[in-house]
Structures are given as C-alpha cells and as structure tokens.
C-alpha cells in the first residue's frame, strides 16, 4: 500500500460538496479533509475510501445491416 497526501482542491467558505473530476475507473481513492481559518488549519478528518468500479457499456441497439 502506498500512502501519500496530494492536495486535490481548495473550496470556498461554507462548501459542503466537492466533485473530483480527475478520478479514473478501476482506481482506489482515499480522501481526508481539513478546515482552515485565520487561526490555522484543523487536523485531517477520518478517511473516506472507495473504489471507482469499471463501468461496462450497454450493448448497442437499433443497428441495421445493408448489403
């Protein structure tokens, strides 16, 4: 297991959601959050781990063959 910390984003005040548009199918991800204000930065939150599964596309439909 490789453990490292890479800042993903800084969001604005009172933010309650964030979408990471860089995720790749089949990869494991682990997120921890910190809060900050004029007094400093908090300790990191507990981690939220997940695996983004591969998504199998649906079979094509509505196809026709012309000789």
């Amino acid at each position: 297991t490789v453990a490292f910390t890479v800042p993903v984003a800084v969001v604005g005040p009172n933010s309650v959601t964030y979408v990471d548009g860089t995720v790749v199918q089949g990869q494991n991800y682990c997120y921890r959050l910190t809060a900050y204000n004029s007094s400093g930065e908090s300790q990191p939150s507990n981690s939220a781990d997940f695996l983004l599964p591969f998504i199998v596309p649906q079979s094509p439909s509505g196809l026709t063959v012309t000789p």
Side-chain angles (χ1 to χ4, degrees), residues 35-63:
Y36 66 94
N37 61 21
S38 59
S39 297
E41 187 171 3
S42 72
Q43 291 295 314
S45 68
N46 293 336
S47 63
D49 305 330
F50 75 97
L51 167 66
L52 184 62
F54 285 101
I55 299 171
V56 177
Q58 293 182 354
S59 299
S61 62
L63 302 175

Side-chain angles (χ1 to χ4, degrees), residues 10-65:
V10 175
V11 297
N14 303 314
S15 295
V16 295
T17 61
Y18 171 74
V19 176
D20 184 352
T22 66
V23 296
V24 177
Q25 291 180 2
Q27 296 294 314
N28 288 303
Y29 291 90
C30 176
Y31 291 91
R32 295 188 331 162
L33 309 175
T34 60
Y36 66 94
N37 61 21
S38 59
S39 297
E41 187 171 3
S42 72
Q43 291 295 314
S45 68
N46 293 336
S47 63
D49 305 330
F50 75 97
L51 167 66
L52 184 62
F54 285 101
I55 299 171
V56 177
Q58 293 182 354
S59 299
S61 62
L63 302 175
T64 58
V65 176

